[in-house]
PDB file of all heavy atoms in Angstrom:
ATOM      1  N   HIS A 125     100.217  35.598  87.908  1.00 86.00           N
ATOM      2  CA  HIS A 125      99.232  34.548  88.066  1.00 86.00           C
ATOM      3  C   HIS A 125      99.118  34.110  89.520  1.00 86.00           C
ATOM      4  O   HIS A 125      98.020  33.912  90.054  1.00 86.00           O
ATOM      5  CB  HIS A 125      99.594  33.370  87.165  1.00 86.00           C
ATOM      6  CG  HIS A 125      98.499  32.372  87.016  1.00 86.00           C
ATOM      7  ND1 HIS A 125      97.263  32.676  86.474  1.00 86.00           N
ATOM      8  CD2 HIS A 125      98.450  31.026  87.295  1.00 86.00           C
ATOM      9  CE1 HIS A 125      96.514  31.598  86.445  1.00 86.00           C
ATOM     10  NE2 HIS A 125      97.201  30.567  86.961  1.00 86.00           N
ATOM     11  N   ALA A 126     100.272  33.972  90.187  1.00 88.00           N
ATOM     12  CA  ALA A 126     100.282  33.570  91.591  1.00 88.00           C
ATOM     13  C   ALA A 126      99.675  34.658  92.488  1.00 88.00           C
ATOM     14  O   ALA A 126      99.011  34.361  93.496  1.00 88.00           O
ATOM     15  CB  ALA A 126     101.701  33.266  92.038  1.00 88.00           C
ATOM     16  N   ALA A 127      99.885  35.929  92.089  1.00 90.00           N
ATOM     17  CA  ALA A 127      99.294  37.003  92.884  1.00 90.00           C
ATOM     18  C   ALA A 127      97.775  37.010  92.774  1.00 90.00           C
ATOM     19  O   ALA A 127      97.053  37.250  93.759  1.00 90.00           O
ATOM     20  CB  ALA A 127      99.849  38.358  92.408  1.00 90.00           C
ATOM     21  N   ARG A 128      97.255  36.704  91.575  1.00 87.00           N
ATOM     22  CA  ARG A 128      95.801  36.693  91.375  1.00 87.00           C
ATOM     23  C   ARG A 128      95.172  35.424  91.965  1.00 87.00           C
ATOM     24  O   ARG A 128      94.071  35.456  92.500  1.00 87.00           O
ATOM     25  CB  ARG A 128      95.468  36.776  89.895  1.00 87.00           C
ATOM     26  CG  ARG A 128      95.795  38.113  89.246  1.00 87.00           C
ATOM     27  CD  ARG A 128      95.167  38.215  87.865  1.00 87.00           C
ATOM     28  NE  ARG A 128      95.645  37.163  86.964  1.00 87.00           N
ATOM     29  CZ  ARG A 128      96.664  37.306  86.130  1.00 87.00           C
ATOM     30  NH1 ARG A 128      97.310  38.466  86.075  1.00 87.00           N
ATOM     31  NH2 ARG A 128      97.038  36.319  85.348  1.00 87.00           N
ATOM     32  N   GLU A 129      95.875  34.298  91.862  1.00 85.00           N
ATOM     33  CA  GLU A 129      95.350  33.024  92.346  1.00 85.00           C
ATOM     34  C   GLU A 129      96.418  32.359  93.245  1.00 85.00           C
ATOM     35  O   GLU A 129      97.237  31.572  92.776  1.00 85.00           O
ATOM     36  CB  GLU A 129      95.024  32.103  91.178  1.00 85.00           C
ATOM     37  CG  GLU A 129      93.972  32.674  90.222  1.00 85.00           C
ATOM     38  CD  GLU A 129      93.640  31.696  89.103  1.00 85.00           C
ATOM     39  OE1 GLU A 129      93.611  30.459  89.366  1.00 85.00           O
ATOM     40  OE2 GLU A 129      93.418  32.155  87.974  1.00 85.00           O
ATOM     41  N   PRO A 130      96.410  32.687  94.538  1.00 85.00           N
ATOM     42  CA  PRO A 130      97.416  32.155  95.467  1.00 85.00           C
ATOM     43  C   PRO A 130      97.493  30.635  95.500  1.00 85.00           C
ATOM     44  O   PRO A 130      98.547  30.093  95.829  1.00 85.00           O
ATOM     45  CB  PRO A 130      96.981  32.714  96.821  1.00 85.00           C
ATOM     46  CG  PRO A 130      96.193  33.942  96.482  1.00 85.00           C
ATOM     47  CD  PRO A 130      95.491  33.643  95.208  1.00 85.00           C
ATOM     48  N   LYS A 131      96.411  29.933  95.118  1.00 82.00           N
ATOM     49  CA  LYS A 131      96.453  28.480  95.139  1.00 82.00           C
ATOM     50  C   LYS A 131      97.431  27.920  94.093  1.00 82.00           C
ATOM     51  O   LYS A 131      97.859  26.753  94.203  1.00 82.00           O
ATOM     52  CB  LYS A 131      95.063  27.910  94.876  1.00 82.00           C
ATOM     53  CG  LYS A 131      94.078  28.117  96.019  1.00 82.00           C
ATOM     54  CD  LYS A 131      92.754  27.454  95.707  1.00 82.00           C
ATOM     55  CE  LYS A 131      91.770  27.644  96.863  1.00 82.00           C
ATOM     56  NZ  LYS A 131      90.463  26.997  96.588  1.00 82.00           N
ATOM     57  N   THR A 132      97.773  28.728  93.112  1.00 81.00           N
ATOM     58  CA  THR A 132      98.714  28.262  92.073  1.00 81.00           C
ATOM     59  C   THR A 132     100.155  28.647  92.390  1.00 81.00           C
ATOM     60  O   THR A 132     101.026  28.514  91.525  1.00 81.00           O
ATOM     61  CB  THR A 132      98.318  28.851  90.705  1.00 81.00           C
ATOM     62  OG1 THR A 132      98.499  30.287  90.736  1.00 81.00           O
ATOM     63  CG2 THR A 132      96.858  28.549  90.381  1.00 81.00           C
ATOM     64  N   ALA A 133     100.410  29.117  93.589  1.00 85.00           N
ATOM     65  CA  ALA A 133     101.757  29.577  93.903  1.00 85.00           C
ATOM     66  C   ALA A 133     102.816  28.459  93.770  1.00 85.00           C
ATOM     67  O   ALA A 133     103.934  28.692  93.311  1.00 85.00           O
ATOM     68  CB  ALA A 133     101.801  30.138  95.347  1.00 85.00           C
ATOM     69  N   ALA A 134     102.431  27.226  94.150  1.00 83.00           N
ATOM     70  CA  ALA A 134     103.371  26.116  94.035  1.00 83.00           C
ATOM     71  C   ALA A 134     103.729  25.846  92.575  1.00 83.00           C
ATOM     72  O   ALA A 134     104.912  25.665  92.242  1.00 83.00           O
ATOM     73  CB  ALA A 134     102.765  24.862  94.678  1.00 83.00           C
ATOM     74  N   LEU A 135     102.723  25.822  91.724  1.00 81.00           N
ATOM     75  CA  LEU A 135     102.980  25.639  90.297  1.00 81.00           C
ATOM     76  C   LEU A 135     103.849  26.757  89.748  1.00 81.00           C
ATOM     77  O   LEU A 135     104.831  26.526  89.054  1.00 81.00           O
ATOM     78  CB  LEU A 135     101.646  25.614  89.548  1.00 81.00           C
ATOM     79  CG  LEU A 135     101.726  25.759  88.012  1.00 81.00           C
ATOM     80  CD1 LEU A 135     102.303  24.501  87.386  1.00 81.00           C
ATOM     81  CD2 LEU A 135     100.365  26.075  87.428  1.00 81.00           C
ATOM     82  N   ALA A 136     103.496  27.995  90.069  1.00 87.00           N
ATOM     83  CA  ALA A 136     104.251  29.150  89.571  1.00 87.00           C
ATOM     84  C   ALA A 136     105.702  29.112  90.028  1.00 87.00           C
ATOM     85  O   ALA A 136     106.615  29.399  89.267  1.00 87.00           O
ATOM     86  CB  ALA A 136     103.586  30.437  90.028  1.00 87.00           C
ATOM     87  N   ALA A 137     105.917  28.746  91.281  1.00 88.00           N
ATOM     88  CA  ALA A 137     107.287  28.689  91.822  1.00 88.00           C
ATOM     89  C   ALA A 137     108.136  27.676  91.048  1.00 88.00           C
ATOM     90  O   ALA A 137     109.283  27.970  90.677  1.00 88.00           O
ATOM     91  CB  ALA A 137     107.241  28.313  93.305  1.00 88.00           C
ATOM     92  N   GLY A 138     107.587  26.500  90.790  1.00 86.00           N
ATOM     93  CA  GLY A 138     108.332  25.491  90.063  1.00 86.00           C
ATOM     94  C   GLY A 138     108.657  25.907  88.647  1.00 86.00           C
ATOM     95  O   GLY A 138     109.785  25.696  88.174  1.00 86.00           O
ATOM     96  N   VAL A 139     107.689  26.498  87.951  1.00 87.00           N
ATOM     97  CA  VAL A 139     107.888  26.909  86.572  1.00 87.00           C
ATOM     98  C   VAL A 139     108.924  28.011  86.496  1.00 87.00           C
ATOM     99  O   VAL A 139     109.844  27.973  85.649  1.00 87.00           O
ATOM    100  CB  VAL A 139     106.565  27.383  85.951  1.00 87.00           C
ATOM    101  CG1 VAL A 139     106.806  28.010  84.575  1.00 87.00           C
ATOM    102  CG2 VAL A 139     105.601  26.202  85.814  1.00 87.00           C
ATOM    103  N   VAL A 140     108.837  29.014  87.371  1.00 91.00           N
ATOM    104  CA  VAL A 140     109.765  30.141  87.326  1.00 91.00           C
ATOM    105  C   VAL A 140     111.203  29.679  87.665  1.00 91.00           C
ATOM    106  O   VAL A 140     112.142  30.062  86.980  1.00 91.00           O
ATOM    107  CB  VAL A 140     109.321  31.224  88.337  1.00 91.00           C
ATOM    108  CG1 VAL A 140     110.402  32.301  88.484  1.00 91.00           C
ATOM    109  CG2 VAL A 140     108.023  31.857  87.887  1.00 91.00           C
ATOM    110  N   ALA A 141     111.329  28.820  88.676  1.00 91.00           N
ATOM    111  CA  ALA A 141     112.670  28.351  89.025  1.00 91.00           C
ATOM    112  C   ALA A 141     113.323  27.575  87.897  1.00 91.00           C
ATOM    113  O   ALA A 141     114.491  27.754  87.593  1.00 91.00           O
ATOM    114  CB  ALA A 141     112.573  27.468  90.283  1.00 91.00           C
ATOM    115  N   LEU A 142     112.538  26.746  87.232  1.00 90.00           N
ATOM    116  CA  LEU A 142     113.077  25.940  86.135  1.00 90.00           C
ATOM    117  C   LEU A 142     113.423  26.822  84.940  1.00 90.00           C
ATOM    118  O   LEU A 142     114.454  26.657  84.289  1.00 90.00           O
ATOM    119  CB  LEU A 142     112.099  24.858  85.736  1.00 90.00           C
ATOM    120  CG  LEU A 142     112.598  23.826  84.718  1.00 90.00           C
ATOM    121  CD1 LEU A 142     113.902  23.196  85.190  1.00 90.00           C
ATOM    122  CD2 LEU A 142     111.535  22.756  84.497  1.00 90.00           C
ATOM    123  N   ALA A 143     112.556  27.783  84.620  1.00 92.00           N
ATOM    124  CA  ALA A 143     112.799  28.695  83.508  1.00 92.00           C
ATOM    125  C   ALA A 143     114.083  29.495  83.720  1.00 92.00           C
ATOM    126  O   ALA A 143     114.847  29.723  82.768  1.00 92.00           O
ATOM    127  CB  ALA A 143     111.608  29.638  83.306  1.00 92.00           C
ATOM    128  N   CYS A 144     114.334  29.910  84.938  1.00 93.00           N
ATOM    129  CA  CYS A 144     115.553  30.652  85.234  1.00 93.00           C
ATOM    130  C   CYS A 144     116.790  29.776  85.120  1.00 93.00           C
ATOM    131  O   CYS A 144     117.873  30.251  84.730  1.00 93.00           O
ATOM    132  CB  CYS A 144     115.469  31.252  86.629  1.00 93.00           C
ATOM    133  SG  CYS A 144     114.205  32.546  86.804  1.00 93.00           S
ATOM    134  N   ALA A 145     116.654  28.494  85.429  1.00 93.00           N
ATOM    135  CA  ALA A 145     117.801  27.583  85.303  1.00 93.00           C
ATOM    136  C   ALA A 145     118.140  27.323  83.836  1.00 93.00           C
ATOM    137  O   ALA A 145     119.315  27.139  83.495  1.00 93.00           O
ATOM    138  CB  ALA A 145     117.496  26.267  86.013  1.00 93.00           C
ATOM    139  N   VAL A 146     117.129  27.316  82.979  1.00 94.00           N
ATOM    140  CA  VAL A 146     117.343  27.052  81.551  1.00 94.00           C
ATOM    141  C   VAL A 146     118.253  28.096  80.917  1.00 94.00           C
ATOM    142  O   VAL A 146     118.949  27.809  79.935  1.00 94.00           O
ATOM    143  CB  VAL A 146     115.986  26.976  80.831  1.00 94.00           C
ATOM    144  CG1 VAL A 146     116.158  26.948  79.299  1.00 94.00           C
ATOM    145  CG2 VAL A 146     115.225  25.739  81.282  1.00 94.00           C
ATOM    146  N   VAL A 147     118.275  29.302  81.476  1.00 94.00           N
ATOM    147  CA  VAL A 147     119.089  30.389  80.913  1.00 94.00           C
ATOM    148  C   VAL A 147     120.547  29.957  80.752  1.00 94.00           C
ATOM    149  O   VAL A 147     121.209  30.273  79.730  1.00 94.00           O
ATOM    150  CB  VAL A 147     118.987  31.637  81.804  1.00 94.00           C
ATOM    151  CG1 VAL A 147     120.009  32.705  81.378  1.00 94.00           C
ATOM    152  CG2 VAL A 147     117.564  32.218  81.750  1.00 94.00           C
ATOM    153  N   PHE A 148     121.084  29.255  81.728  1.00 96.00           N
ATOM    154  CA  PHE A 148     122.488  28.879  81.686  1.00 96.00           C
ATOM    155  C   PHE A 148     122.762  27.814  80.592  1.00 96.00           C
ATOM    156  O   PHE A 148     123.799  27.867  79.949  1.00 96.00           O
ATOM    157  CB  PHE A 148     122.928  28.370  83.047  1.00 96.00           C
ATOM    158  CG  PHE A 148     122.809  29.404  84.146  1.00 96.00           C
ATOM    159  CD1 PHE A 148     121.687  29.474  84.953  1.00 96.00           C
ATOM    160  CD2 PHE A 148     123.823  30.335  84.314  1.00 96.00           C
ATOM    161  CE1 PHE A 148     121.561  30.444  85.924  1.00 96.00           C
ATOM    162  CE2 PHE A 148     123.714  31.311  85.299  1.00 96.00           C
ATOM    163  CZ  PHE A 148     122.583  31.377  86.106  1.00 96.00           C
ATOM    164  N   GLY A 149     121.810  26.931  80.391  1.00 95.00           N
ATOM    165  CA  GLY A 149     121.938  26.002  79.268  1.00 95.00           C
ATOM    166  C   GLY A 149     121.852  26.720  77.942  1.00 95.00           C
ATOM    167  O   GLY A 149     122.575  26.370  76.987  1.00 95.00           O
ATOM    168  N   ARG A 150     121.025  27.720  77.868  1.00 94.00           N
ATOM    169  CA  ARG A 150     120.893  28.511  76.659  1.00 94.00           C
ATOM    170  C   ARG A 150     122.215  29.233  76.347  1.00 94.00           C
ATOM    171  O   ARG A 150     122.621  29.324  75.200  1.00 94.00           O
ATOM    172  CB  ARG A 150     119.756  29.495  76.838  1.00 94.00           C
ATOM    173  CG  ARG A 150     119.439  30.317  75.592  1.00 94.00           C
ATOM    174  CD  ARG A 150     118.179  31.123  75.839  1.00 94.00           C
ATOM    175  NE  ARG A 150     117.902  32.000  74.734  1.00 94.00           N
ATOM    176  CZ  ARG A 150     116.711  32.143  74.158  1.00 94.00           C
ATOM    177  NH1 ARG A 150     115.688  31.426  74.594  1.00 94.00           N
ATOM    178  NH2 ARG A 150     116.529  32.983  73.161  1.00 94.00           N
ATOM    179  N   ILE A 151     122.872  29.747  77.367  1.00 96.00           N
ATOM    180  CA  ILE A 151     124.164  30.416  77.182  1.00 96.00           C
ATOM    181  C   ILE A 151     125.182  29.451  76.585  1.00 96.00           C
ATOM    182  O   ILE A 151     125.921  29.780  75.678  1.00 96.00           O
ATOM    183  CB  ILE A 151     124.670  30.978  78.523  1.00 96.00           C
ATOM    184  CG1 ILE A 151     123.809  32.177  78.966  1.00 96.00           C
ATOM    185  CG2 ILE A 151     126.127  31.414  78.422  1.00 96.00           C
ATOM    186  CD1 ILE A 151     124.141  32.696  80.346  1.00 96.00           C
ATOM    187  N   LEU A 152     125.223  28.247  77.120  1.00 96.00           N
ATOM    188  CA  LEU A 152     126.169  27.227  76.622  1.00 96.00           C
ATOM    189  C   LEU A 152     125.903  26.926  75.149  1.00 96.00           C
ATOM    190  O   LEU A 152     126.838  26.805  74.352  1.00 96.00           O
ATOM    191  CB  LEU A 152     126.056  25.955  77.443  1.00 96.00           C
ATOM    192  CG  LEU A 152     126.618  26.029  78.874  1.00 96.00           C
ATOM    193  CD1 LEU A 152     126.284  24.751  79.638  1.00 96.00           C
ATOM    194  CD2 LEU A 152     128.111  26.250  78.857  1.00 96.00           C
ATOM    195  N   VAL A 153     124.630  26.804  74.777  1.00 95.00           N
ATOM    196  CA  VAL A 153     124.278  26.510  73.385  1.00 95.00           C
ATOM    197  C   VAL A 153     124.725  27.665  72.486  1.00 95.00           C
ATOM    198  O   VAL A 153     125.325  27.458  71.407  1.00 95.00           O
ATOM    199  CB  VAL A 153     122.767  26.270  73.247  1.00 95.00           C
ATOM    200  CG1 VAL A 153     122.377  26.190  71.770  1.00 95.00           C
ATOM    201  CG2 VAL A 153     122.396  24.983  73.935  1.00 95.00           C
ATOM    202  N   GLU A 154     124.455  28.888  72.871  1.00 94.00           N
ATOM    203  CA  GLU A 154     124.797  30.042  72.032  1.00 94.00           C
ATOM    204  C   GLU A 154     126.299  30.191  71.876  1.00 94.00           C
ATOM    205  O   GLU A 154     126.794  30.477  70.777  1.00 94.00           O
ATOM    206  CB  GLU A 154     124.194  31.306  72.646  1.00 94.00           C
ATOM    207  CG  GLU A 154     122.657  31.344  72.541  1.00 94.00           C
ATOM    208  CD  GLU A 154     122.033  32.515  73.238  1.00 94.00           C
ATOM    209  OE1 GLU A 154     122.747  33.215  73.988  1.00 94.00           O
ATOM    210  OE2 GLU A 154     120.823  32.753  73.054  1.00 94.00           O
ATOM    211  N   ILE A 155     127.041  29.996  72.958  1.00 96.00           N
ATOM    212  CA  ILE A 155     128.504  30.065  72.833  1.00 96.00           C
ATOM    213  C   ILE A 155     129.043  28.941  71.941  1.00 96.00           C
ATOM    214  O   ILE A 155     129.948  29.160  71.146  1.00 96.00           O
ATOM    215  CB  ILE A 155     129.151  29.989  74.246  1.00 96.00           C
ATOM    216  CG1 ILE A 155     128.812  31.262  75.054  1.00 96.00           C
ATOM    217  CG2 ILE A 155     130.678  29.844  74.124  1.00 96.00           C
ATOM    218  CD1 ILE A 155     129.358  31.261  76.463  1.00 96.00           C
ATOM    219  N   ALA A 156     128.462  27.738  72.111  1.00 95.00           N
ATOM    220  CA  ALA A 156     128.907  26.611  71.296  1.00 95.00           C
ATOM    221  C   ALA A 156     128.683  26.873  69.813  1.00 95.00           C
ATOM    222  O   ALA A 156     129.498  26.446  68.974  1.00 95.00           O
ATOM    223  CB  ALA A 156     128.185  25.344  71.712  1.00 95.00           C
ATOM    224  N   VAL A 157     127.643  27.593  69.474  1.00 94.00           N
ATOM    225  CA  VAL A 157     127.328  27.878  68.067  1.00 94.00           C
ATOM    226  C   VAL A 157     128.252  28.973  67.529  1.00 94.00           C
ATOM    227  O   VAL A 157     128.791  28.875  66.409  1.00 94.00           O
ATOM    228  CB  VAL A 157     125.859  28.304  67.909  1.00 94.00           C
ATOM    229  CG1 VAL A 157     125.575  28.802  66.485  1.00 94.00           C
ATOM    230  CG2 VAL A 157     124.930  27.118  68.213  1.00 94.00           C
ATOM    231  N   VAL A 158     128.488  30.015  68.299  1.00 93.00           N
ATOM    232  CA  VAL A 158     129.216  31.204  67.821  1.00 93.00           C
ATOM    233  C   VAL A 158     130.726  31.057  68.009  1.00 93.00           C
ATOM    234  O   VAL A 158     131.494  31.385  67.095  1.00 93.00           O
ATOM    235  CB  VAL A 158     128.712  32.475  68.529  1.00 93.00           C
ATOM    236  CG1 VAL A 158     129.498  33.703  68.065  1.00 93.00           C
ATOM    237  CG2 VAL A 158     127.229  32.670  68.239  1.00 93.00           C
ATOM    238  N   ALA A 159     131.145  30.593  69.164  1.00 94.00           N
ATOM    239  CA  ALA A 159     132.588  30.524  69.455  1.00 94.00           C
ATOM    240  C   ALA A 159     132.882  29.293  70.331  1.00 94.00           C
ATOM    241  O   ALA A 159     133.037  29.444  71.560  1.00 94.00           O
ATOM    242  CB  ALA A 159     133.067  31.786  70.152  1.00 94.00           C
ATOM    243  N   PRO A 160     132.924  28.118  69.765  1.00 95.00           N
ATOM    244  CA  PRO A 160     133.118  26.883  70.524  1.00 95.00           C
ATOM    245  C   PRO A 160     134.362  26.909  71.406  1.00 95.00           C
ATOM    246  O   PRO A 160     134.385  26.277  72.477  1.00 95.00           O
ATOM    247  CB  PRO A 160     133.206  25.789  69.461  1.00 95.00           C
ATOM    248  CG  PRO A 160     132.548  26.371  68.254  1.00 95.00           C
ATOM    249  CD  PRO A 160     132.822  27.838  68.303  1.00 95.00           C
ATOM    250  N   GLY A 161     135.388  27.621  70.971  1.00 94.00           N
ATOM    251  CA  GLY A 161     136.631  27.664  71.746  1.00 94.00           C
ATOM    252  C   GLY A 161     136.444  28.268  73.103  1.00 94.00           C
ATOM    253  O   GLY A 161     137.205  27.957  74.046  1.00 94.00           O
ATOM    254  N   VAL A 162     135.469  29.151  73.274  1.00 95.00           N
ATOM    255  CA  VAL A 162     135.235  29.785  74.567  1.00 95.00           C
ATOM    256  C   VAL A 162     134.774  28.753  75.604  1.00 95.00           C
ATOM    257  O   VAL A 162     135.056  28.916  76.811  1.00 95.00           O
ATOM    258  CB  VAL A 162     134.191  30.919  74.426  1.00 95.00           C
ATOM    259  CG1 VAL A 162     133.831  31.517  75.779  1.00 95.00           C
ATOM    260  CG2 VAL A 162     134.717  32.005  73.496  1.00 95.00           C
ATOM    261  N   LEU A 163     134.118  27.717  75.160  1.00 93.00           N
ATOM    262  CA  LEU A 163     133.653  26.678  76.090  1.00 93.00           C
ATOM    263  C   LEU A 163     134.781  25.959  76.797  1.00 93.00           C
ATOM    264  O   LEU A 163     134.619  25.458  77.906  1.00 93.00           O
ATOM    265  CB  LEU A 163     132.785  25.664  75.364  1.00 93.00           C
ATOM    266  CG  LEU A 163     131.388  26.134  74.928  1.00 93.00           C
ATOM    267  CD1 LEU A 163     130.626  24.989  74.270  1.00 93.00           C
ATOM    268  CD2 LEU A 163     130.601  26.691  76.098  1.00 93.00           C
TER     269      LEU A 163
END
Side-chain angles (χ1 to χ4, degrees):
H125 192 60
R128 292 192 300 265
E129 301 182 36
K131 289 183 178 181
T132 66
L135 166 72
V139 172
V140 171
L142 188 54
C144 293
V146 170
V147 170
F148 298 95
R150 185 173 175 133
I151 290 174
L152 288 173
V153 171
E154 291 175 348
I155 292 177
V157 171
V158 178
V162 175
L163 288 183

